[in-house]
Amino acid sequence: MKINRYTPHIIVLPEDRANEEIANGFIQAPNVNYNIIQVERPAGGWTKVVDKFAEVHVPEMRIYSQRMIVLLIDFDEREDRFSYVENQIPEDLKNRVFVLGVQSNPENLRKATKKSFEDIGEALAKDCSDNTNELWGHPLLEHNKTELERMILSVKPFLFNQSVTDY
């Protein structure tokens, strides 16, 4: 299904297959309005996520003012990665682009939580909609706190169904 580019919507650019599966688990959560999210195919590395964002999505975001983008990358325990990626986002789009990911890599999170990637995504969606911090508070995810809070303010009004029975 295609999303409506003229209404609020989210595009997720995952680094790899593991991040794609987490994103797919997120949108499959019963309380998520899956009609407004599109998960792209994995870019094949965090630098390729940034390149694809710059080459394809920056021009499109300037046309489609309701579009928001999530750059879903592995931080590979590199403290400078967030600031590098953030510096690649044009100033006029910063309020609609969000950089999230596991501090090391999704495989470590899967091992630590003993959950599948899709179950991780579903648990993260539940945290967002319920205003809880159970999985987002995990040591491999807690570095996302500021970015997550900023993103939730922008997307929560249209991302989550009012009630689980609405889907």
Side-chain angles (χ1 to χ4, degrees), residues 26 31-32 100 121-134 136 148 151-152 155-156 159-160:
F26 188 99
N31 56 338
V32 172
L100 298 172
E122 189 171 340
L124 294 173
K126 185 171 178 3
D127 271 359
C128 290
S129 67
D130 295 352
N131 295 318
T132 57
N133 203 26
E134 291 179 33
W136 281 110
L148 182 64
M151 184 180 79
I152 288 174
V155 304
K156 194 166 186 176
L159 178 59
F160 298 103

Side-chain angles (χ1 to χ4, degrees), residues 94-129:
K94 282 192 187 284
N95 65 331
R96 295 190 287 139
V97 180
F98 310 97
V99 183
L100 298 172
V102 179
Q103 182 61 33
S104 55
N105 59 60
E107 292 78 12
N108 288 345
L109 183 62
R110 179 178 61 189
K111 185 177 178 184
T113 62
K114 297 177 178 40
K115 293 179 182 286
S116 71
F117 293 133
E118 288 190 350
D119 287 344
I120 289 169
E122 189 171 340
L124 294 173
K126 185 171 178 3
D127 271 359
C128 290
S129 67

Side-chain angles (χ1 to χ4, degrees), residues 18-69:
N19 282 300
E20 178 187 34
E21 288 180 28
I22 290 171
N24 285 335
F26 188 99
I27 66 174
Q28 291 172 16
N31 56 338
V32 172
N33 181 359
Y34 61 86
N35 293 315
I36 55 93
I37 302 178
Q38 178 178 318
V39 179
E40 301 260 317
R41 297 293 303 149
W46 71 272
T47 58
K48 291 181 180 177
V49 168
V50 174
D51 292 344
K52 185 174 184 180
F53 166 71
E55 294 165 15
V56 175
H57 293 283
V58 165
E60 289 183 356
M61 287 184 77
R62 290 187 171 130
I63 295 168
Y64 305 112
S65 62
Q66 300 294 307
R67 176 167 295 172
M68 296 181 198
I69 302 268

